[in-house]
């Protein structure tokens, strides 16, 4: 199982950097909840959900397309790189200009009157993200995991530095008379503005470094490469839009569908801030999934030429489910101290009960990513659109009907429902066109058990803090014991065979 060990090693490198980097970035939620109003946090939630949508438009499936064509037969990876990067640079100029000019309309539409500059900065941020996508993908394809990880960490550290500078250090220097009021045009009433500005500066500074490490490109558009690439990537664009709808629509729409005074003493935007902050806790699961995706996508394409690749994909899926199910329980049963550690201030505990459900949603998203390899390898990417469109429809309908009734939990349930639909459909069609011997029944049992143990541990309460911690984590130990006993043959199969 050398290939599986290589994937694990790559995931470890990506995972260490991703978890370390995003953990550093994640710690910003302490700053945001401690130093910003809940309304500012609601604005942050909504605007970054919009950025998530538009990121898909700006990259339109070209990362996966780049992997597919760079590893295809009779393809020159250098020609594909130059063409793909040229295409994204040119399209980013066009799309970025369009968003920049539409900023006043976006500000009015999203209820930010007089703040068009927020969406002008958003346009620049989206363009910067897009022109970094293919160079980062090239580093992954060339197995330059350490370089990739280092660049991501530098970017995150820059973002954290500027957040701390604008939100904490400069205000404290002004209050301590170390700096005069209005230094460098500093606006003391800005909150979400400085979050955006910090991200924008950090991404702008990292561009030259990443381009240098990936290899500078020449402006080149080759028609014989472009035509098949367009045919492959266009369905991925719609898949991406539908997929990001599933992931972000609840955060974008929450404040607009939540009835007034649903949560006494909180405006809809403040409630959206609480919802977004609790979503951040669930992103602890997404850190692991993102690290896995960085390593797995190029790995899946490289291994597709091997005869036993379906069996390998099945083992990867099973190991993924076991590990992430354990992680879901571990986070859920420890929310009583993890939540207050990261979410400073009152009222945020109102959303703690949705976190196990959101963790399940992210886990299902990771399973869907594993399943989706079939349409990427068979070039049937059109299926991806219809599958994700069905999920998006479920998500939107769920939010519209469930949020007014259940509030935070309504949004969480709609997220899980859409991923259940997507995962089921992807599995059904995948087994028809590209059969993979997944351990479906066992995987379902572990997911169900993990989810039940997550909520059992979450609600379990005793008299003393130490006993409470021990009893809650007994759920984790129970699941771990069940896996070690039930999967002893699976773990044995991963060990190298004696010659």
């Amino acid at each position: 199982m050398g290939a599986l060990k290589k994937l694990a090693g790559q995931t470890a490198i990506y995972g260490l950097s991703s978890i370390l980097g995003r953990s550093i970035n994640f710690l910003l939620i302490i700053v945001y909840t401690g130093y910003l109003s809940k309304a500012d946090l609601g604005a942050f939630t909504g605007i970054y959900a919009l950025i998530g949508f538009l990121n898909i438009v700006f990259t339109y499936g070209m990362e996966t397309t780049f992997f597919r064509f760079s590893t295809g037969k009779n393809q020159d990876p250098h020609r594909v790189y130059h063409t793909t990067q040229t295409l994204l640079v040119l399209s980013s100029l066009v799309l970025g200009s369009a968003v920049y000019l539409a900023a006043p309309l976006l500000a009015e539409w999203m209820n930010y009157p007089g703040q068009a500059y927020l969406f002008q900065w958003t346009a620049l941020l989206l363009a910067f993200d897009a022109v970094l996508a293919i160079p980062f993908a090239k580093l992954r394809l060339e197995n330059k995991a350490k370089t990739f990880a280092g660049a991501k960490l530098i970017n995150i550290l820059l973002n954290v530095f500027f957040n701390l500078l604008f939100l904490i250090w400069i205000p404290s220097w002004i209050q301590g008379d170390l700096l005069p009021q209005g230094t460098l045009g500093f606006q003391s009433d800005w909150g979400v503005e400085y979050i955006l500005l910090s991200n924008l500066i950090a991404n702008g500074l990292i561009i030259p470094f990443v381009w240098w490490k990936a290899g500078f490109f020449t402006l080149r558009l080759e028609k014989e490469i472009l035509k098949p690439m367009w045919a492959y990537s266009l369905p991925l664009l719609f898949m991406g839009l539908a997929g990001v709808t599933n992931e972000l629509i609840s955060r974008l729409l929450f404040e607009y569908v939540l009835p007034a005074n649903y949560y006494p003493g909180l405006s809809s935007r403040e409630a959206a801030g609480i919802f977004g902050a609790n979503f951040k806790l669930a992103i602890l699961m997404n850190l692991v999934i993102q690290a896995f995706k960085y390593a797995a996508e190029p790995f899946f394409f490289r291994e597709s030429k091997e005869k036993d690749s379906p069996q390998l994909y099945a083992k990867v899926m099973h190991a993924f489910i076991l590990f992430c199910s354990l992680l879901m329980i571990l986070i859920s049963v420890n929310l009583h101290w993890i939540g207050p550690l990261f979410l400073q201030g009152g009222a945020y505990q109102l959303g703690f009960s949705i976190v196990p459900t959101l963790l399940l949603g992210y886990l299902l998203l990771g399973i869907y990513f594993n399943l989706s390899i079939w349409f990427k390898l068979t070039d049937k990417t059109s299926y991806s659109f219809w599958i994700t469109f069905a999920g998006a429809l479920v998500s939107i309908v769920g939010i519209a009907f469930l949020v007014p009734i259940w509030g935070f939990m309504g949004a969480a349930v709609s997220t899980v429902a859409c991923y259940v639909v997507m995962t089921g459909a992807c599995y059904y069609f995948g087994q028809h066109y590209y059969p993979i011997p997944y351990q479906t029944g066992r995987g379902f049992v572990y997911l169900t058990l993990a989810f039940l143990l997550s909520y059992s541990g979450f609600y379990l309460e005793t008299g003393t803090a130490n006993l409470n911690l021990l009893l809650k984590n007994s759920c984790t130990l129970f699941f771990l014991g069940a896996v070690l006993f039930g999967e002893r043959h699976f773990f044995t199969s991963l060990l190298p065979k004696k010659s």
Side-chain angles (χ1 to χ4, degrees):
M1 295 306 296
L4 196 58
K5 288 175 64 179
K6 186 175 182 180
L7 174 62
Q10 292 269 305
T11 302
I13 296 174
Y14 287 123
L16 180 62
S17 65
S18 180
I19 292 172
L20 177 61
R22 291 200 174 204
S23 295
I24 295 170
N25 208 10
F26 179 75
L27 293 176
L28 287 175
I29 197 64
I30 301 176
V31 176
Y32 297 160
T33 56
Y35 288 85
L36 300 180
S37 68
K38 292 180 178 64
D40 264 322
L41 202 57
F44 163 71
T45 299
I47 291 174
Y48 269 80
L50 176 66
I51 289 172
F53 278 98
L54 293 179
N55 257 326
I56 301 300
V57 177
F58 272 66
T59 53
Y60 45 90
M62 277 296 158
E63 274 186 287
T64 301
T65 303
F66 171 74
F67 286 131
R68 177 61 172 163
F69 282 80
S70 294
T71 57
K73 294 180 180 179
N74 303 319
Q75 290 288 358
D76 181 353
H78 295 289
R79 293 173 62 201
V80 174
Y81 175 65
H82 292 305
T83 296
T84 309
Q85 181 65 355
T86 299
L87 190 62
L88 276 177
V89 167
L90 295 177
S91 63
S92 295
L93 287 173
V94 174
L95 293 171
S97 299
V99 174
Y100 192 94
L101 294 173
L105 291 175
L106 285 171
E108 290 297 325
W109 175 60
M110 293 190 67
N111 197 25
Y112 293 90
Q115 294 177 287
Y117 56 86
L118 289 175
F119 300 95
Q120 291 169 345
W121 296 350
T122 294
L124 294 174
L125 181 59
L126 288 163
F128 287 172
D129 281 346
V131 299
L132 284 168
I134 299 304
F136 271 127
K138 186 170 182 283
L139 292 175
R140 291 162 59 195
L141 185 68
E142 295 173 348
N143 291 324
K144 296 180 179 178
K146 292 180 180 178
T147 304
F148 176 93
K152 286 287 186 180
L153 278 175
I154 291 170
N155 182 231
I156 289 169
L157 289 172
L158 284 171
N159 185 41
V160 171
F161 169 78
F162 286 112
N163 268 278
L164 295 176
L165 179 67
F166 292 136
L167 298 178
I168 298 179
W169 295 338
I170 290 180
S172 68
W173 294 338
I174 291 175
Q175 289 177 2
D177 295 327
L178 296 176
L179 289 175
Q181 291 284 345
T183 299
L184 299 175
F186 184 80
Q187 303 289 325
S188 59
D189 59 337
W190 277 8
V192 68
E193 290 89 347
Y194 282 129
I195 297 176
L196 269 173
L197 192 59
S198 298
N199 202 341
L200 179 61
I201 296 171
N203 283 21
L205 291 175
I206 203 70
I207 289 175
F209 176 76
V210 176
W211 282 12
W212 170 52
K213 285 296 184 180
F216 289 102
F217 66 97
T218 56
L219 292 172
R220 182 190 306 173
L221 293 174
E222 301 189 33
K223 291 182 179 179
E224 64 271 22
I225 299 177
L226 275 178
K227 187 175 180 180
M229 284 174 65
W230 272 118
Y232 185 87
S233 67
L234 191 59
L236 292 177
L237 165 62
F238 293 109
M239 179 195 75
L241 286 172
V244 82
T245 296
N246 300 337
E247 186 175 356
L248 299 175
I249 194 67
S250 60
R251 280 171 277 177
L252 181 63
L253 296 182
F254 187 85
E255 70 172 281
Y256 304 105
V257 297
L258 185 72
N261 300 316
Y262 185 95
Y263 294 103
L266 294 173
S267 69
S268 294
R269 183 159 290 175
E270 288 172 330
I274 293 172
F275 177 68
N278 278 278
F279 227 108
K280 284 283 186 182
L281 294 178
I283 287 175
L284 289 168
M285 172 73 78
N286 201 34
L287 296 179
V288 175
I289 294 172
Q290 190 63 46
F292 175 79
K293 287 175 67 176
Y294 282 147
E297 189 164 36
F299 169 84
F300 284 154
F301 280 113
R302 284 195 301 268
E303 293 298 321
S304 63
K305 303 179 182 69
E306 301 298 326
K307 184 175 67 174
D308 63 345
S309 59
Q311 289 74 23
L312 179 61
Y313 297 155
K315 288 192 173 185
V316 170
M317 169 73 91
H318 198 59
F320 176 87
I321 290 174
L322 294 176
F323 180 81
C324 289
S325 294
L326 181 65
L327 181 63
M328 176 171 65
I329 302 171
L330 188 63
I331 296 171
S332 298
V333 302
N334 288 289
L335 278 171
H336 64 290
W337 65 266
I338 292 176
L341 179 66
F342 291 109
L343 305 185
Q344 304 292 306
Y348 290 104
Q349 68 274 12
L350 287 173
F352 286 176
S353 62
I354 69 170
V355 175
T357 301
L358 293 173
L359 288 169
L360 177 63
Y362 272 121
L363 201 164
L364 290 170
L365 177 61
I367 292 173
Y368 174 77
F369 172 78
N370 275 275
L371 292 170
S372 68
I373 191 61
W374 76 264
F375 58 70
K376 296 175 183 177
L377 293 178
T378 58
D379 294 343
K380 294 184 181 296
T381 51
S382 59
Y383 276 84
S384 65
F385 167 70
W386 294 110
I387 291 171
T388 47
F389 177 79
L393 189 62
V394 169
S395 183
I396 293 171
V397 172
I399 290 165
F401 284 96
L402 297 181
V403 169
I405 301 171
W406 292 342
F408 297 140
M409 186 56 76
V413 170
S414 70
T415 299
V416 171
C418 84
Y419 289 134
V420 167
V421 169
M422 287 174 58
T423 301
C426 194
Y427 175 80
Y428 174 80
F429 289 111
Q431 293 303 94
H432 178 73
Y433 289 105
Y434 193 92
I436 296 175
Y438 294 120
Q439 298 185 50
T440 308
R442 297 176 75 87
F444 180 78
V445 168
Y446 285 121
L447 280 176
T448 303
L449 178 62
F451 186 65
L452 293 175
L453 288 171
S454 294
Y455 268 109
S456 297
F458 175 78
Y459 284 113
L460 187 62
E461 295 291 342
T462 60
T464 64
N466 289 336
L467 183 59
N468 196 38
L469 182 67
L470 180 63
L471 286 177
K472 283 176 174 289
N473 281 281
S474 66
C475 295
T476 309
L477 294 175
F478 177 82
F479 183 81
L480 181 60
V483 168
L484 291 176
F485 177 77
E487 298 301 319
R488 56 192 183 280
H489 298 301
F490 172 71
F491 291 126
T492 300
S493 74
L494 300 181
L495 298 175
K497 295 180 180 179
K498 294 180 181 181
S499 56

